[in-house]
Each structure stands twice: as structure tokens, then as C-alpha cells.
Amino acid sequence: MPAERAGYTVSMFVVDVSKSMGATRTVTLPPGKNGEERFAEMTHLQYALQYVKFKIQDMIYNGRKTDQCGVVTFGTDETDNQINSRHGGYENVTEYISIAAPSATTLRKLDELEPSDVFGDPIDAMIVAVEAQSKHLGNKKTWTRKVILVTDGEGPIELEDWEATAKKLNELNIALTVVGVDFDDEEFDYVQDNKPDFKRVNEEFFRDQFCQHVNDSVIGNLDRVLEQISLPDVKTSRSTLMQNVLRIGDVDTRTEEAMEILIKTCKCTAINRPKSFKKFAIRPKTAREEEAEQQSMDVDDDEKKVVTYAQLRARTEYYVDKLDRKDEDKEEQVKIEEDAEPQSEDLEKVEKEELIRGFKYGTSYVPCPEGQFPKLPTKKGIDLIGFIPEKKFRREYSMGEVQYIWGNPDNPTAQCALSSIVQAMYEKGVLAVGRWVTGDGRDPKMGVMSPALFEKVHCLLWVPMPFADDVRKYTFPSLHELRNKKGEIITEHAYLPTEKQLEAMDDFVDAMDLMEAGDKDEEGNRTEWLDIRESYNPSFHRLKQAMFHCAVVSDLETNPLPPPHPELMRFFNPPKKLVKKAQSTIDNCIKTFNVKHVPKVVKTARKDGHNHANDDDDEMLLLDRKPSTSKPSQSHSQAKITQKSAGDDSETEDDDDEILIDKVESAKRTNPLPTPARSLPSLSQSEGQYDDDSMDIDPQRDPDRLIGRTNPLADFKLNLERGDIVTKVVEDMSAVIQEVVLAPFASRRSTEMIECLTELRKVCLEEDEIDAWNTFLPEFKKECIKSSPGNKEFWSKVQKVGRRISVISDKEAEKNGGISQFSEHSAIEFLE
């Protein structure tokens, strides 16, 4: 099926509101919170309008002004259509909603529909819909026309001239869809019991006669259609061809060696993103509206009051701090920075026209009085820079949407020239590097062009690449090469896999291959299990389903959101047959690698506040970490590398093969107090002076942390001066604060922990670690208040400190070039 043009469509919904549509039915709802079955009673019309509203919501969701619709109802008590006004006839047919781009008002008007006490003719209603559609479009032949008929088929139908109606639909290329309430459907395996004879006749007429004579028509059961609309829908749209030119060589200075090929470009793929949410609020009444309300006080109290909502739009105002804080004391400056907001009397409002645009460079701003720096004198077109072997191209460099590059369809010479280049590139196995400029004076983009040889046409596929300055190279230690202290390469070690282990892992990876885990094709060969074309983004489609359901349903308590469609969850779990087949290789890996499950031991603090020593398994083992020059604490000082027993799989290590652990003597030093206010290096009992070893060691610093529990604030400031390790330091500081506060006798260090929190918040705000602070503080509050034993007393002290230690608001984050999910009001309420 060819791709449909996006938008430029007029859909006419012909809805049956006859007397029979007022019959009630029982609809199954999603299970309740405890898994109980739920049901709801609704009329046929309410049930059918769910489909109509869903289709209209889809148009609103896409947001195209050229995607329009109208609604014609038949079986109404009154008659209101343009054919009846001119020629008479076509009774009980109403043009309910005129053709226009749908909006929330369209859905609201559909909710007002009620079944009538009469019947209408669906053929008359279709003729009225086609006439209204033709009058609206006029001579716009490129627009797509659709008619959707929704009926239960229980009303009388005039069968005299239905062939003329079908012929007219074909002449105008109108696509017809008939959605029947309780229509029989063999594929859906549904047959209505005790179906009335006249309904059976009408149903057979639509299926076997009318739809058969309409070229582009389809008929289906309403239950099946409602089930299918929850299936993720991926529409293929045609991209507009844009004129461009492909240049080879320098066409300005060396015209005899260069050439230009006229081309057309269009999108091959496009990024699809979820719709952004808009905020609405009750619009305040104007003075005129309030006066009118006062004059109409005698209106019946039962009348519904209309509440008007307006969309909230962002408004930006610029202020300059009038105080010069450079000469102030450092302590006063820190206090000012910790305040929630500068005082209003210190701020001066500035108009946008008086500001100079600046670009951020590191931690400073570079002013640009003209608004932008001089642009490159670029020229529209695609310049072919050179060729590279396809085997040497790094696939991670292809970043962005793919574009087609065609030879101009109106220029055979350009088509032949481009086809020659494509065939040569394909035979040589090379890719082309191109510089694309979308317009004169615009910024260039670098990309790679790959040859594509289709059945009837040859073209290039262009995808953008990063510039050299945008590529950052990170080095990592080798995973298959290990060196000892002397720099010698070690071939056998507990950290290096053996041949047997490598073979076991290869078998495990091969057993998880999904390329032949799918169903069998016509020839009996296994196909791939995961087909990208049949997989969908769950977050995108589930969000869309939730938005549509909330717009259709008036009460989410009685009619909650249904579960995701099975197709959306299709690839969430691997095939059971493959998992069962791979179990033997999994067991072999467990045996070969000697994998054992080690349950995590929960450490419980004793009543006397004793700190337990860390287990050996808690230490992080890094292959590239150099041995520490300082001696470890007493809990780790007795670790020695000894020869393993004969039953152990690991081999004996000699002195030259030591990687991470030094042989050290037991330190003759006692453990410090469990929760000191300021733990200093211990004095030597014999000499009465500081021990040299103790000066380098924090006995309460975990091996994988940069911050110790002895003097965390000093460690925090010292590590910040070392370099770009802010993220790690902030993470360790957060963990240490929580451990100290939740430990016994934490009240001794309350003042110190308040200082730590204040300094941590300041660094997070200045060093763009706002998310880390806003994530840590709510969790810390929960642990202090709700956990057992917790520390409610400390949190009350945090509340007394006030706003300057709360979460970082969006206003504070914006001033420092960051983003926060908390508003200023939320930050104030957080400590209440």
C-alpha cells in the first residue's frame, strides 16, 4: 500500500442515533485493585461513540490543521441538512458538526448526543455527508476523502437507488468504513445470538452488496475495532522532495575539474517524540463578566456554571542585582548565596532590549553584542569531501535522521550521473563524506553517504556525523592484559579468564542468539524473533493510550485505564523455548566460574553504638588501581596473601604477582570512638606525639569512598580542590551524612551534619549537581522520619534552619544554568 499523504484529509463520521441505539449493554472493564471482575452498563450509542472519539482524538493528537472532520447524525428528531433545505427529503438527518479541524469542543459536543425516538436512513445520511464534503473541498482533488458509518443496522434502509450512491463514492475516490454494533465477524469469531431478521438483512446488504460495489471499503465489528485501536499504530507518510545540488570538486575556482548534479532530497526516517503536556488554569473573570454575573443572579441555581480554562504560557522577566558584592566579606557573600531569593528592593527590572546576548564558555559567559558570531560564508548544497572504506567506518558515528538523495526526476542526465556514482561506490565498497548546507549562510553539517541500489532506482542514503571537536575519547584499562608491580605481564591470574571459561561464555552467548528463535517461514526455516518493524516504544504508545482513555471516559474510578495491548508487551520477555534450550549452557557457566549466591548481611547497630568492621567482600576490586601507599585500618591491616588450599580453584600468587593487596604488619593502634565530633590522629602512647602512619589514614573511611566519617567536611573540601571528581564526592558525601545521622549517638554531631548539608547543597547548586541534591534530600527526609529508628530530632533541626537547606527550586537552578523539577512553592512546603 503506498504511503498516505500526512494530513490533507476530510473524514465524515455518519453516526446512528436512532431509537435502537438506546438499548443498553454490559461492558467488561479491567480488573479492580484486588483482581475482581468489573462491569459497566452503557447504551449502544455511548459504546459506539468511543470509537468515533478515539479517531477524532488521533487527529487532535497529530495537531495538523489540514486533518479535518465533520459529523452527520441520522435518526434525529429534527432535520437539518443542506440538501433538505434546497430540495426537501432526507428526513431525520442532521449535519451535527461542520467540517473543521477538531478540538476539545468537538469531543464535548459528541458527549451531548442522546438516542432519539425515531429511525433514520443511513444511505440518506451518507449522501448528505458526501455532499457536505464535496462542497467544502471544491476542486481540491489531492485531498483524501473518508466516510465512516457507525450503526447497529436495526433501522429501515431505502434500497431503491443505492447503486448510484456507491458509484458516486467511487468517482470521488472516497474510502468507506462501516462499523457495526454486534455485526457478525468470522475472523473475530463473533455471531450475535437471537439476531432480528431485519438486522440480518441490513447487515448482509452492507457486507455483500454495498461494500462490494465501493472500491476502497471495509466493514467490521465494533468490538473488534475497539480492540484494534489500542494496538500501536505506525503510519508511513510521504516526505516532500526538496530541490538541492550535489557538488564534486571546487566549482568556483576549478570549474573544468568540478561538476554539479541536480538532486532531490527527502526524509527516509524521522524521530517521533511524545506530545508535550500543556498547563491550564481557571481563567479569572474580567470586570465586565463579574458585572454581568451580578445582573443575572435570578437565574435558576440548578443551572450549571461554565468554568473557563486558559492555557498557561511562560513569561520571562529580567532583573539585575544592584548590590556590588565583590567587596563584601566572604562569609556575608556565602550567606547571600544561600538565601532563597535576593531581596526585591535589591533588584532592578531590565527590558529585554537593553540586554546583550552571551554564550556560555566553561563557567563564564562570552558577550556577543550583535546577538551572534559571524557566520561562515556557506553556499546551499551538498559538497562531496572524499571517500572512506566501508569497513573502516565506525557505526557509532552515524547519528541522526536518514535522508534520501535522488537524482532529479525531471533531469535524466542528473539521474544517470548520480547512478554512476552510486554503482562505483557499491563496487569499490566505499562510503562518501558529504558537507550539507541547507541554505546560503546556514551552519554546515557533516555526514556520510551510503550507496543504495533499489530495483528501479539508485540513490544515496545520507546520515549526519559528529565533527571532530564533538568526539570525546575515553581510555579504559585492558580487560585481557594484567601487569604486576614490576610492570611484567601476567598470563595466569584469578582476574584473567581461562580457555575453559572463555569457551563456556561463548557457548552461553551463542545459545541466546535470537536470529533463529522466531516462527518458521513457508520453507520451514526459523526466522528472527525480534523484528524491529513489529516492536514499539512502550512509553510512547502507553502514554498515548492513557491520554485517549482519559478523554473518552468521564470517571476513571469506575472505568480505569485498561492494560497495554499484548503486541506492546510482545518482546518484553525472551522466548521460553530459547531460555529452556540455553539452561544447560547457563549451568555450565555457573559451574565453570564457580558462581555462588552470597546473601547480603544486614548490619544492625548494637545499642552501645559499636561500628562493625567491613567485610572483605564489601571492598571494590579495580584492576587498574595502584596499591595504596598508606596502611589500612585495623579491620583490614591483618589481610595477607596466603596459599590457597588444594580444593580452591584459584592458584597461588607469589610476591611479584601482587596486584591490589600489600603484605603489611598489624598496626598497633586502637579503634577510634564510633561517633566522634572531630576525630583527630591518635597520639603515640610512648612518644606523646602524632603517629606518622595515622596521619595518612582515616579509620572510618570505606575503601571505595573519598569521604570518611571522621571529618567529612574537611575531606569534602579537600577532594573538591583535587579536580573533576565532583559527582563522586557529592555521592560519597550524601552517603556519609545519612550514615552518621542514622547511627546511634548522632545527636553529638548534629551541628556538624547541618554544616555538611549546607556545604553540600551549595556545591550541588554551583557545580550542576542539582539532580543529585534533589534526589538525595527527599530520600534522607524519608529515612529520618519514617524508618526505624530514624532520627526525627535531627530533621526538626533541619526544619529550623529553613529554606536555605531545602530542595533546589527551578528559579535557583535557572540562575546557575541548571534545571529543577521543584517549584519555589514546593521547595518551601518541603520543610513544613
Side-chain angles (χ1 to χ4, degrees):
M1 181 179 177
E4 184 178 299
R5 187 182 183 186
Y8 301 95
T9 303
V10 173
S11 302
M12 296 299 299
F13 294 94
V14 183
V15 182
D16 187 358
V17 295
S18 302
K19 182 178 180 180
S20 57
M21 294 292 286
T24 59
R25 62 190 296 124
T26 302
V27 179
T28 304
L29 299 179
K33 297 180 179 179
N34 299 325
E36 68 275 8
E37 295 183 351
R38 301 170 63 122
F39 303 95
E41 293 287 336
M42 64 178 64
T43 62
H44 291 338
L45 180 59
Q46 292 174 331
Y47 191 53
L49 284 178
Q50 291 186 12
Y51 168 74
V52 178
K53 288 189 286 187
F54 182 91
K55 300 297 289 185
I56 293 178
Q57 283 179 99
D58 203 11
M59 301 178 194
I60 300 174
Y61 188 79
N62 294 330
R64 300 188 185 99
K65 294 182 179 179
T66 56
D67 210 351
Q68 303 175 359
C69 71
V71 178
V72 175
T73 57
F74 64 95
T76 56
D77 295 326
E78 66 280 348
T79 301
D80 183 11
N81 62 81
Q82 52 186 316
I83 300 180
N84 177 268
S85 301
R86 294 197 305 263
H87 308 292
Y90 300 90
E91 302 292 337
N92 305 113
V93 178
T94 301
E95 295 182 28
Y96 187 64
I97 299 177
S98 303
I99 298 175
S103 62
T105 305
T106 308
L107 298 175
R108 187 165 59 249
K109 291 193 68 175
L110 287 174
D111 290 334
E112 297 174 359
L113 285 175
E114 295 290 343
S116 65
D117 295 329
V118 297
F119 288 93
D121 190 347
I123 301 297
D124 289 350
M126 277 192 286
I127 295 174
V128 172
V130 172
E131 181 66 20
Q133 192 180 57
S134 300
K135 183 178 179 181
H136 178 78
L137 290 177
N139 297 325
K140 298 177 181 178
K141 297 182 179 180
T142 58
W143 282 56
T144 303
R145 308 183 183 205
K146 296 180 180 180
V147 173
I148 298 98
L149 173 63
V150 182
T151 179
D152 61 356
E154 296 189 12
I157 303 176
E158 182 60 47
L159 304 178
E160 186 175 351
D161 295 325
W162 65 267
E163 294 91 346
T165 305
K167 184 178 179 181
K168 187 67 175 178
L169 295 176
N170 293 332
E171 290 176 359
L172 298 175
N173 295 323
I174 295 177
L176 174 64
T177 301
V178 180
V179 179
V181 180
D182 295 332
F183 274 24
D184 295 342
D185 194 327
E186 295 180 358
E187 296 181 4
F188 190 58
D189 193 19
Y190 175 81
V191 177
Q192 183 182 5
D193 298 331
N194 303 322
K195 186 188 295 289
D197 293 337
F198 57 86
K199 180 175 181 177
R200 181 177 292 105
V201 172
N202 292 342
E203 189 176 331
E204 292 175 355
F205 163 72
F206 281 118
R207 181 181 291 108
D208 301 334
Q209 298 184 49
F210 195 83
C211 289
Q212 293 293 332
H213 284 74
V214 179
N215 296 333
D216 191 2
S217 64
V218 63
I219 184 172
N221 177 275
L222 177 61
D223 294 327
R224 182 183 182 186
V225 171
L226 289 175
E227 181 179 306
Q228 288 179 341
I229 58 178
S230 62
L231 176 69
D233 184 21
V234 178
K235 294 182 179 179
T236 304
S237 303
R238 291 180 297 177
S239 179
T240 305
L241 290 174
M242 304 297 292
Q243 189 172 355
N244 213 323
V245 60
L246 177 64
R247 289 187 289 266
I248 304 176
D250 190 352
V251 296
D252 296 328
T253 59
R254 298 186 178 182
T255 56
E256 67 282 355
E257 300 178 1
M259 65 180 298
E260 290 184 337
I261 303 175
L262 299 178
I263 58 174
K264 294 273 191 177
T265 62
C266 65
K267 286 186 177 181
C268 176
T269 61
I271 299 176
N272 196 8
R273 295 183 176 90
K275 294 293 182 181
S276 59
F277 288 94
K278 298 178 181 178
K279 294 183 178 180
F280 290 83
I282 298 177
R283 184 175 65 85
K285 297 179 181 179
T286 61
R288 181 178 299 179
E289 290 175 343
E290 291 182 355
E291 182 180 355
E293 185 179 353
Q294 291 291 336
Q295 296 177 356
S296 59
M297 291 297 293
D298 56 343
V299 179
D300 189 3
D301 294 339
D302 295 336
E303 184 178 349
K304 296 181 179 178
K305 296 182 179 180
V306 179
V307 180
T308 305
Y309 287 87
Q311 181 181 345
L312 299 179
R313 302 185 183 277
R315 184 180 65 184
T316 304
E317 295 181 351
Y318 301 92
Y319 292 88
V320 175
D321 194 351
K322 295 184 294 184
L323 294 180
D324 187 6
R325 308 184 188 278
K326 295 181 180 180
D327 300 333
E328 295 182 2
D329 295 338
K330 190 172 183 181
E331 294 183 359
E332 295 180 359
Q333 187 173 353
V334 170
K335 291 182 180 179
I336 293 175
E337 292 177 354
E338 291 174 353
D339 290 340
E341 289 183 353
Q343 299 297 326
S344 58
E345 58 269 13
D346 299 336
L347 298 179
E348 179 182 0
K349 187 175 181 180
V350 181
E351 297 298 331
K352 185 178 180 181
E353 291 75 13
E354 302 178 15
L355 300 177
I356 297 177
R357 189 175 183 182
F359 293 88
K360 192 172 184 180
Y361 184 76
T363 57
S364 61
Y365 288 89
V366 180
C368 185
E370 297 182 0
Q372 61 182 5
F373 295 103
K375 292 186 176 181
L376 295 174
T378 55
K379 184 179 179 181
K380 180 181 178 180
I382 303 175
D383 293 290
L384 200 153
I385 305 300
F387 300 93
I388 56 174
E390 185 176 3
K391 296 180 179 179
K392 294 185 178 181
F393 177 70
R394 301 180 64 173
R395 292 295 300 274
E396 66 270 18
Y397 283 172
S398 56
M399 306 168 64
E401 299 178 350
V402 184
Q403 300 263 5
Y404 285 118
I405 299 178
W406 315 92
N408 194 320
D410 301 327
N411 192 325
T413 304
Q415 295 180 35
C416 293
L418 184 66
S419 177
S420 301
I421 296 175
V422 172
Q423 293 185 57
M425 291 173 59
Y426 180 79
E427 293 177 0
K428 295 293 184 180
V430 297
L431 303 176
V433 178
R435 180 175 179 264
W436 190 329
V437 180
T438 57
D440 294 343
R442 296 189 178 181
D443 296 333
K445 299 178 181 179
M446 295 300 296
V448 61
M449 294 180 284
S450 174
L453 281 71
F454 296 110
E455 184 177 355
K456 296 183 179 180
V457 65
H458 297 166
C459 66
L460 293 171
L461 297 177
W462 187 90
V463 61
M465 292 191 305
F467 288 94
D469 295 338
D470 298 329
V471 179
R472 297 184 180 181
K473 296 180 180 180
Y474 297 94
T475 58
F476 299 94
S478 174
L479 295 176
H480 54 80
E481 185 177 285
L482 199 62
R483 296 178 180 270
N484 59 13
K485 293 180 179 179
K486 297 180 179 180
E488 300 172 346
I489 298 177
I490 300 174
T491 57
E492 295 183 0
H493 192 271
Y495 299 150
L496 296 176
T498 63
E499 291 296 332
K500 187 177 180 181
Q501 291 174 338
L502 291 174
E503 183 179 354
M505 184 55 64
D506 288 339
D507 294 340
F508 174 52
V509 174
D510 294 338
M512 294 189 297
D513 188 5
L514 299 175
M515 294 304 296
E516 296 182 356
D519 299 331
K520 294 183 178 180
D521 56 13
E522 298 177 354
E523 299 178 358
N525 300 324
R526 287 284 181 181
T527 59
E528 61 182 15
W529 177 71
L530 175 60
D531 190 347
I532 300 298
R533 296 168 295 181
E534 298 178 359
S535 61
Y536 308 97
N537 187 336
S539 60
F540 177 84
H541 294 283
R542 183 60 171 168
L543 176 62
K544 181 179 178 181
Q545 181 186 5
M547 292 172 62
F548 283 20
H549 181 80
C550 293
V552 172
V553 176
S554 58
D555 187 4
L556 290 175
E557 291 293 332
T558 58
N559 193 357
L561 179 66
H565 194 278
E567 284 295 322
L568 198 61
M569 313 291 291
R570 180 177 173 185
F571 299 111
F572 267 47
N573 298 311
K576 295 181 180 179
K577 293 182 179 179
L578 186 67
V579 175
K580 185 177 180 181
K581 183 179 178 181
Q583 189 60 44
S584 59
T585 59
I586 297 175
D587 296 337
N588 185 30
C589 283
I590 294 175
K591 181 180 179 181
T592 305
F593 287 93
N594 193 23
V595 178
K596 297 179 180 179
H597 176 68
V598 180
K600 187 175 181 180
V601 179
V602 180
K603 301 175 183 179
T604 57
R606 295 173 56 181
K607 294 183 179 179
D608 57 357
H610 176 68
N611 277 359
H612 298 274
N614 291 329
D615 295 334
D616 293 339
D617 295 339
D618 293 340
E619 296 188 27
M620 292 181 60
L621 301 181
L622 304 178
L623 300 183
D624 58 332
R625 177 176 291 178
K626 295 181 180 180
S628 175
T629 56
S630 60
K631 295 182 180 181
S633 60
Q634 184 178 2
S635 59
H636 298 88
S637 60
Q638 297 179 1
K640 296 182 179 181
I641 300 178
T642 57
Q643 184 174 354
K644 304 294 181 180
S645 59
D648 197 341
D649 294 338
S650 59
E651 299 180 3
T652 305
E653 300 179 10
D654 54 18
D655 294 340
D656 293 337
D657 292 344
E658 293 175 3
I659 305 300
L660 300 175
I661 307 176
D662 290 337
K663 290 183 178 180
V664 294
E665 296 295 331
S666 301
K668 298 179 180 179
R669 182 166 48 83
T670 59
N671 281 335
L673 293 174
T675 53
R678 283 284 190 270
S679 296
L680 300 175
S682 59
L683 285 171
S684 176
Q685 296 179 358
S686 59
E687 300 178 359
Q689 59 185 3
Y690 289 109
D691 191 321
D692 293 336
D693 292 338
S694 64
M695 294 292 291
D696 298 331
I697 299 172
D698 180 359
Q700 290 201 348
R701 178 183 299 171
D702 294 342
D704 57 335
R705 287 184 183 168
L706 301 175
I707 308 296
R709 290 183 289 274
T710 303
N711 197 348
L713 189 58
D715 291 346
F716 184 68
K717 295 179 179 179
L718 181 63
N719 281 283
L720 287 176
E721 297 174 358
R722 290 174 51 189
D724 191 14
I725 54 172
V726 180
T727 302
K728 174 63 175 173
V729 174
V730 168
E731 179 184 354
D732 292 352
M733 187 64 165
S734 303
V736 168
I737 291 175
Q738 183 165 326
E739 290 175 2
V740 173
V741 170
L742 298 180
F745 305 103
S747 58
R748 303 177 182 177
R749 307 182 66 179
S750 297
T751 304
E752 178 190 357
M753 291 300 104
I754 293 293
E755 295 177 4
C756 291
L757 285 172
T758 304
E759 186 66 20
L760 177 61
R761 186 185 190 276
K762 175 185 174 183
V763 172
C764 289
L765 182 60
E766 295 176 350
E767 300 294 340
D768 197 19
E769 293 291 335
I770 298 173
D771 288 340
W773 172 262
N774 286 346
T775 302
F776 156 71
L777 195 61
E779 295 178 355
F780 179 64
K781 176 182 178 181
K782 182 179 179 181
E783 291 294 327
C784 289
I785 298 177
K786 297 184 179 181
S787 66
S788 179
N791 196 337
K792 296 182 180 179
E793 181 182 354
F794 178 79
W795 185 253
S796 63
K797 294 182 180 180
V798 173
Q799 291 176 315
K800 292 180 181 178
V801 175
R803 172 67 183 84
R804 63 188 180 91
I805 206 173
S806 180
V807 292
I808 299 174
S809 66
D810 50 1
K811 291 185 178 179
E812 294 177 285
E814 186 177 0
K815 293 178 182 178
N816 291 269
I819 299 174
S820 172
Q821 73 273 24
F822 291 96
S823 64
E824 185 63 27
H825 182 68
S826 301
I828 296 174
E829 287 186 344
F830 180 79
L831 294 176
E832 295 180 359

